[in-house]
Amino acid sequence: MALVDRSLERRPTDNILENLRGTEAPSQSQLEVWYKAGADFCFYAPAQEACKKSLDRLAKLKLEDEELALLKDPPSVGDVVTKLERIAAEQEKRRGRSIIVQKSSKFFNTFCSFADKTSHIVMLLLPQSPEYTVTFGMLFLLFQTVVTKKEREDTFMEYFNDLVPQLPLLEFYSSMFPTSQMKDAVVQVYIAIMKLLDDALVYFRGGKLSKLVDAICHPESKLDEHIKHIERGIRRLNALKEAGHMAQSADMMKVVSDTGKVVAKLYENLECQANAIGTSMEMMNAKIDAVAARTNLFIRFEMLKNARELRNLLLVDSLNVEEDRNTSLNRQYRLSPKDHWENNGVLHHLRRWSETGRDVLLWIGGTSGNQDSWVSELSVDMIRALQTQTLTLVYVFCEQRSNAALTPVILVRKLLAQLLELHPEIPYEYPETFDPQRVRNATSFFLLWEIFVSFTSRVKNLFVVIDRVEECEAPQPADITHQLLPTLVKWAAGNTNVSVVLTSTCNPPDEILDLPMFALYTETTNRAIKRNR
């Protein structure tokens, strides 16, 4: 069997694809060597967890029916390339081009080789759980997203072209004895591949929103990091294989020259005992998993019940919070082309803020004459872009559609309510800090803020977006300029675990200009005015 290597572009395309289609699945004996029921669960548990995380992230992408179909009916290892060819043919048909054009491209061959080699790792892990087939679905989704889009294909090649030749062939796994270290190394390579597929899929599916993701999250650096992890894992596998061959050679010489038959018989007995123990362990693990699943369901129920009680205390006067949020997210904005955030220069400043570590509050101010506010459109698109990222996102639109005033206290309550939805485990684990009576008595801004800070200190990678903060109302105007805004700015300053973005149609008030923040103001009908830190 011959697969694609660095001389890919010098070989006939038809031969390359024929070789890939002819890949045989690993034999049952090869799979059994890599996974022994009961004994090897501890090695492969992290890989199974990576599959679950990928499934959770796919749920955030709001896939269409056509895309969901790619996740069903996973192919066998020999059918991966055939499935990719069908997807390419469908995409080319939509563009009115011949599939021959795509099949002759370097991108098509490189992706097929990447998918083929990745499928070999999946087949080693598949005997444990069908969850590993999500890898095939991720490959097909990524391929459908990138194929026929020249710019995306070129970007894909920048990241994957040097990686693909380094991935091991099927013979690599079949010709090595899988020690515990080798199993761990394979798992680490698999986890890195899954993270690469996760971030690559989100990155390439982003469309217009990917510009915001690029500016804020720098996904290209994540892709580079995942590829480096894969390359390190492959080097470790090669080193372990070489060491294993040397050890096997030494062991074979000793068996032949000394007590080979005795050692062989002893090994056979030990293997039988190990299989028996492994079977018993598998049965025990199954029972433990069943008990753990029921316990987790009970705990989850109690966590949600507790979080819902706290949420009802926070939003006692707000019955349509979810409806208000959806209305704001689905609103259409009337703006001329030059006024949209992707054309008015704000992306440059977003990137500068992100490159400095996002460790200060970002104030984005601006108007568009008598049109809708471009900053609100930016807030909506930023929220949509960040919803697919691995972070905790909470947001508030201060421009109310109802008659109820949005005070600083209600604003913090809305942020807390979202945190309770996303992390119901935190108040359950720290009941003394998030006691219902304490929440009920927190009627002032600073008492409520103390609870908010306690909650957010236990949340990793928190991102807060507050749109049109000037629309926030208070009994005394000083409550905003002397309480809400200074408190938010000071909380964000130097807090590497928190990113805060405020948008407004105004410049920052004079009361907070001396505090550390990154501020800009753009009036799209006139020349832009900018104020930084």
Side-chain angles (χ1 to χ4, degrees), residues 1 3 17-28 30-31 73-84 112-126 133 136 139-140 168-171 173:
M1 179 194 66
L3 293 181
L17 296 180
E18 196 60 39
N19 287 334
L20 290 174
R21 279 194 293 268
T23 300
E24 296 180 357
S27 67
Q28 187 63 29
Q30 290 171 336
L31 296 178
D73 301 324
S76 64
V77 66
D79 293 334
V80 172
V81 173
T82 303
K83 183 79 175 273
L84 292 174
C112 286
S113 184
F114 172 69
D116 185 68
K117 292 181 177 182
T118 299
S119 68
H120 298 157
I121 300 180
V122 176
M123 297 309 290
L124 296 178
L125 306 176
L126 197 56
T133 56
F136 294 126
L139 285 168
F140 297 146
L169 304 174
L170 180 59
E171 288 88 351
Y173 306 108

Side-chain angles (χ1 to χ4, degrees), residues 80-140:
V80 172
V81 173
T82 303
K83 183 79 175 273
L84 292 174
E85 288 180 316
R86 287 201 296 269
I87 294 173
E90 292 172 1
Q91 296 295 91
E92 290 292 352
K93 184 177 180 181
R94 292 176 181 176
R95 293 173 62 89
R97 299 192 309 181
S98 169
I99 182 60
I100 298 176
V101 175
Q102 182 62 50
K103 284 176 63 176
S104 63
S105 74
K106 188 176 180 181
F107 160 77
F108 186 76
N109 294 317
T110 300
F111 196 101
C112 286
S113 184
F114 172 69
D116 185 68
K117 292 181 177 182
T118 299
S119 68
H120 298 157
I121 300 180
V122 176
M123 297 309 290
L124 296 178
L125 306 176
L126 197 56
Q128 306 167 64
S129 171
E131 285 178 325
Y132 290 103
T133 56
V134 69
T135 312
F136 294 126
M138 299 286 286
L139 285 168
F140 297 146

Side-chain angles (χ1 to χ4, degrees), residues 256-302:
V256 171
S257 59
D258 297 330
T259 56
K261 292 183 180 181
V262 176
V263 173
K265 186 65 176 178
L266 178 62
Y267 177 79
E268 183 180 347
N269 291 335
L270 289 174
E271 187 175 26
C272 291
Q273 294 177 18
N275 288 336
I277 293 173
T279 302
S280 300
M281 289 293 294
E282 187 75 9
M283 295 173 63
M284 290 178 62
N285 283 336
K287 292 181 179 180
I288 292 172
D289 289 343
V291 173
R294 287 194 292 269
T295 303
N296 289 337
L297 285 174
F298 175 77
I299 293 175
R300 180 71 178 172
F301 173 79
E302 290 296 320

Side-chain angles (χ1 to χ4, degrees), residues 353-526:
W353 172 67
S354 181
E355 288 171 351
T356 59
R358 305 202 308 253
D359 57 351
V360 293
L361 181 144
L362 172 63
W363 181 290
I364 303 177
T367 59
S368 306
N370 59 358
Q371 302 180 91
D372 290 332
S373 171
W374 68 265
V375 296
S376 289
E377 184 192 48
L378 171 65
S379 297
V380 169
D381 286 341
M382 187 182 300
I383 290 164
R384 287 175 174 164
L386 295 176
Q387 282 175 333
T388 60
Q389 302 301 307
T390 52
L391 48 78
T392 297
L393 172 67
V394 292
Y395 54 92
V396 173
F397 291 92
C398 297
E399 189 178 13
Q400 293 288 90
R401 300 300 171 192
S402 60
N403 295 326
L406 181 69
T407 65
V409 170
I410 295 178
L411 186 150
V412 178
R413 283 181 176 178
K414 287 190 172 186
L415 293 175
L416 257 176
Q418 292 176 61
L419 288 172
L420 286 167
E421 288 180 23
L422 299 171
H423 294 283
E425 73 282 359
I426 291 179
Y428 188 80
E429 293 172 1
Y430 302 94
E432 67 285 352
T433 304
F434 306 102
D435 178 67
Q437 187 62 37
R438 184 188 180 197
V439 174
R440 187 180 293 108
N441 292 337
T443 56
S444 70
F445 175 79
F446 286 110
L447 285 176
L448 194 61
W449 183 258
E450 185 179 347
I451 298 175
F452 178 78
V453 171
S454 297
F455 201 118
T456 57
S457 66
R458 296 174 171 89
V459 177
K460 293 182 178 179
N461 202 5
L462 176 63
F463 206 107
V464 181
V465 178
I466 300 176
D467 179 65
R468 297 291 300 277
V469 69
E470 80 279 359
E471 294 291 333
C472 192
E473 301 179 19
Q476 298 294 329
D479 292 346
I480 296 177
T481 56
H482 293 285
Q483 288 186 4
L484 175 63
L485 295 181
T487 301
L488 284 169
V489 173
K490 292 175 183 177
W491 175 60
N495 193 340
T496 56
N497 191 49
V498 172
S499 302
V500 182
V501 176
L502 297 188
T503 68
S504 173
T505 57
C506 310
N507 267 308
D510 294 339
E511 289 83 353
I512 64 171
L513 287 181
D514 293 333
L515 297 177
M517 65 176 172
F518 192 108
L520 64 100
Y521 182 88
T522 299
E523 169 59 70
T524 56
T525 57
N526 301 316

